Amino acid sequence: MSTTAPVIPRFPVTGTDGFVIALDHLARAADGRGLDALTQADVRGQPDEARLRWLAGELSERMPLLHATLRKDGLLAVPYWECSGDADAIPIEFHRVRGVTGPETSQIDSISDLRALRMRGHQRVSLGPPHIRLDVVRTGDQTWSILMLWSHLLLDGTGVELLFKHMDELWHDPQAVSPQQPSVSDNRPWWKLFQESEACGRHLIKLGSEPFVSASKGRLRTGRRCCFWETFSPEETAKIKITLGRIGGDMMRTFFYAALAARCHQAVFHSRGQHGLSYAVPMPVQQRPKDANGRAAVFQNHMAMFFFILKENDLADLGTASKALMRQHMEHLKLKRHLSFNAMQLLMRRMPGKTMLDLVRLGQRGEIASFYHAYTGNFGEGMTTFCGGEIVNAVHMPTLCAPPGSGLFVSECRDQLTVTVSHLDSCLSESETELMRERWRSDLLGE
Amino acid sequence: MPDTSPSTMISLVRETVLPDLPADFGAEADFFEAGLDSMGVMQLVMFLEERFAKKVEPEELSRANFRSGKALATLVNEKAA
């Protein structure tokens, strides 16, 4: 009688995953912590502990990648996720803010204290689970918040929003079908990828041929992880959309917000006396594969990356900067640089993270980019409820490493725009983040 | 003069960014619901510029102008006028 060994699902990493693995390595080399991020959703009503615990267990059962471990193929050296671990429930803790009545035994002084604790992260000892952790906090008689700490190794911001959306779907319908993770493999031989990387390689050499600036000044730094954000009211957000509408149509938003990130950093660099330098602006654009039912992939990083250069005169105002980015984007598309960059990432994902980043930084005076930026659009594709309550707001708090040491991120939820600055305190000071805030208020609201 | 009818626009979208668009996709059916994203819009802009020699201005980059074959045909035809 023969027995067949069970097939262990494997998911090769995407090109973008490969780069994130390198950045996670950089973060761990600096202080032992991984490249984690925090997402907070504020909800009306009461948290239902029993059902949320059920959900944490159910997700892990249904989504094997939540308990997968990152490994590397011995022959081809391509990293992959191996779903062989036990389907342990996602860690979930329940708290209440001191002074708020509730059954939770854990009391915290404020949700910002808990955020700071989670942002500081934990020492990563393996590339296995848990990849997400949940904290549910009763913040008032009729309000609660959920904090999801997630690893960028396995998820990106859009994927996290899709996970929130699926959690809400399961809340309403425990029999709902979960999105299946499509396996995105690329079997092009290394020499083919090398050939296809050429156009992007030339672009990156050009990018590195003149100095660009970052908050870390091209140095590896450690520091306290900080996040600062401002959510605009629906009235302010409507006003911002009118401001942006004077520059271009609503499909330009990716460029507006990347331009805003550059302009806010410009305010800081000018205050440091750094005038006339170029800015290397990375812009991720989502490219999510779908499963057989047409549902977008929840896990792994799925982005086409574009690298732009903005010079001082491109940054005269938000409109000029947005249009400069759009022009460069069109040029990139014509020359298919995003495909070339993806080929380069697929080739380089075989490298140890340190080697990959050493190569990138070697050609760019120690730098990787001037800052990070992402615009994630409407939270959860416009979701308005979460696990039994109406969503009040939702915000992402990414962490990052140095270089570049800072980033500016934009998201929307329920007609409220949020601008978030993430940084290491060794790279940006509090007064500098205030300069950024003044700049975004001036650019977006004309103040 | 090139054909700029809604059905031609649907064929262009199928050719450039949404290869799985069904054969019976209507003139007013929503490209975004069918999977068109911001990257696809930019690829379409590039394609329109190449095929029809029409430059799409930043203020014309709206969801409304790229929503359907009919909307896209209107955009191209208005630029020709």
Side-chain angles (χ1 to χ4, degrees):
Chain A
M1 195 174 101
S2 66
T3 53
T4 312
V7 177
I8 298 171
R10 285 182 173 191
F11 294 87
V13 301
T14 64
T16 324
D17 282 338
F19 194 65
V20 172
I21 292 169
L23 293 177
D24 187 85
H25 172 87
L26 180 63
R28 278 183 287 126
D31 54 22
R33 302 168 303 175
L35 200 66
D36 296 333
L38 201 57
T39 298
Q40 176 175 331
D42 303 326
V43 187
R44 285 191 213 286
Q46 310 271 342
D48 184 334
E49 181 171 335
R51 288 192 71 192
L52 285 163
R53 283 194 190 281
W54 166 80
L55 197 51
E58 187 71 8
L59 277 182
S60 194
E61 288 283 344
R62 285 166 168 256
M63 301 178 135
L65 270 160
L66 282 171
H67 46 88
T69 300
L70 189 61
R71 301 191 191 284
K72 199 162 196 173
D73 184 287
L75 185 63
L76 299 171
V78 174
Y80 61 91
W81 289 103
E82 185 180 273
C83 306
S84 58
D86 293 334
D88 292 336
I90 296 161
I92 183 166
E93 292 179 25
F94 291 81
H95 321 267
R96 63 187 157 96
V97 172
R98 206 173 298 284
V100 174
T101 309
E104 299 81 10
T105 50
S106 165
Q107 290 190 53
I108 55 171
D109 286 334
S110 70
I111 196 161
S112 60
D113 284 354
L114 183 63
R115 272 199 309 265
L117 183 71
R118 296 297 183 243
M119 290 270 300
R120 259 178 250 141
H122 57 282
Q123 299 286 312
R124 191 196 292 283
V125 290
S126 85
L127 298 178
H131 300 295
I132 65 176
R133 290 171 180 269
L134 300 171
D135 286 287
V136 176
V137 185
R138 191 184 294 269
T139 51
D141 292 340
Q142 285 299 324
T143 53
W144 58 282
S145 297
I146 184 160
L147 285 174
M148 183 186 284
L149 182 72
W150 50 275
S151 168
H152 220 317
L153 285 174
L154 186 64
L155 290 142
D156 59 21
T158 300
V160 165
E161 294 185 10
L162 293 171
L163 189 58
F164 267 87
K165 195 175 173 187
H166 186 52
M167 287 168 78
D168 189 53
E169 189 182 12
L170 285 175
W171 182 274
H172 292 289
D173 177 10
Q175 307 305 319
V177 177
S178 292
Q180 300 300 302
Q181 185 69 12
S183 182
V184 187
S185 58
D186 189 305
N187 298 319
R188 281 175 288 176
W190 71 266
W191 52 268
K192 188 81 183 154
L193 293 172
F194 186 77
Q195 280 176 343
E196 290 177 18
S197 302
E198 199 187 337
C200 183
R202 275 200 306 269
H203 176 64
L204 291 177
I205 288 168
K206 187 180 159 199
L207 189 97
S209 66
E210 53 184 302
F212 59 84
V213 65
S214 87
S216 75
K217 298 173 184 162
R219 296 193 194 113
L220 296 171
R221 289 173 193 260
T222 184
R224 189 164 60 90
R225 296 170 179 204
C226 304
C227 231
F228 165 75
W229 73 87
E230 178 170 22
T231 294
F232 295 98
S233 68
E235 295 73 27
E236 286 174 319
T237 301
K239 194 175 168 190
I240 288 167
K241 287 182 180 168
I242 292 170
T243 305
L244 300 183
R246 288 192 203 106
I247 301 170
D250 50 13
M251 297 308 292
M252 284 273 295
R253 283 191 191 148
T254 308
F255 304 116
F256 294 145
Y257 298 130
L260 183 72
R263 293 246 321 140
C264 289
H265 279 84
Q266 181 196 37
V268 172
F269 299 141
H270 277 187
S271 77
R272 294 179 179 183
Q274 294 173 303
H275 295 267
L277 289 169
S278 297
Y279 295 66
V281 182
M283 197 178 82
V285 178
Q286 284 289 318
Q287 292 265 277
R288 299 196 91 75
K290 293 184 172 171
D291 68 10
N293 296 319
R295 302 185 67 171
V298 170
F299 300 103
Q300 302 192 264
N301 290 272
H302 299 284
M303 289 163 258
M305 288 300 297
F306 294 86
F307 286 90
F308 305 127
I309 306 166
L310 288 178
K311 294 182 184 295
E312 195 76 60
N313 56 355
D314 293 323
L315 286 161
D317 55 57
L318 194 59
T320 308
S322 305
K323 288 170 188 172
L325 290 174
M326 183 186 154
R327 270 197 309 277
Q328 290 184 40
H329 187 78
M330 299 296 289
E331 188 194 335
H332 277 42
L333 286 177
K334 273 182 196 153
L335 298 173
K336 297 187 169 30
R337 280 194 192 126
H338 59 300
L339 300 180
S340 176
F341 187 68
N342 190 44
M344 183 181 280
Q345 285 184 316
L346 286 168
L347 185 68
M348 291 174 79
R349 68 185 166 164
R350 294 170 166 87
M351 291 179 181
K354 183 178 183 318
T355 312
M356 187 196 291
L357 287 181
D358 282 351
L359 268 176
V360 170
R361 295 180 62 226
L362 183 69
Q364 303 189 135
R365 297 171 179 80
E367 301 282 12
I368 295 173
S370 286
F371 51 83
Y372 289 130
H373 163 71
Y375 167 55
T376 45
N378 244 338
F379 186 82
E381 298 177 332
M383 62 190 291
T384 55
T385 62
F386 181 72
C387 295
E390 186 191 357
I391 294 179
V392 180
N393 196 16
V395 179
H396 294 297
M397 288 152 267
T399 60
L400 38 76
C401 41
S406 66
L408 187 140
F409 306 87
V410 179
S411 59
E412 288 181 65
C413 181
R414 314 244 23 218
D415 297 324
Q416 301 161 105
L417 191 80
T418 296
V419 180
T420 305
V421 181
S422 177
H423 63 103
L424 297 181
D425 66 349
S426 54
C427 296
L428 276 187
S429 67
E430 239 176 75
S431 60
E432 287 175 328
T433 58
E434 188 52 33
L435 279 178
M436 285 186 157
R437 181 174 172 274
E438 282 170 16
R439 175 61 64 87
W440 76 58
R441 287 197 73 88
S442 149
D443 275 3
L444 297 175
L445 292 167
E447 288 181 354
Chain B
M1 189 173 160
D3 180 2
T4 56
S5 65
S7 60
T8 302
M9 294 299 151
I10 292 168
S11 302
L12 291 183
V13 171
R14 186 180 291 116
E15 194 182 316
T16 51
V17 286
L18 296 175
D20 298 331
L21 218 51
D24 59 351
F25 197 82
E28 296 193 44
D30 194 320
F31 287 137
F32 292 102
E33 282 178 13
L36 183 63
D37 54 18
S38 60
M39 181 94 142
V41 168
M42 295 311 292
Q43 282 171 320
L44 271 175
V45 169
M46 194 175 71
F47 197 77
L48 292 176
E49 289 186 5
E50 282 173 4
R51 176 72 69 96
F52 300 106
K54 303 287 178 214
K55 187 164 166 41
V56 179
E57 300 299 332
E59 51 273 21
E60 292 168 328
L61 270 174
S62 66
R63 282 179 83 90
N65 281 338
F66 288 82
R67 186 175 301 280
S68 63
K70 189 179 172 189
L72 209 44
T74 305
L75 174 70
V76 174
N77 287 324
E78 276 177 0
K79 293 187 79 66

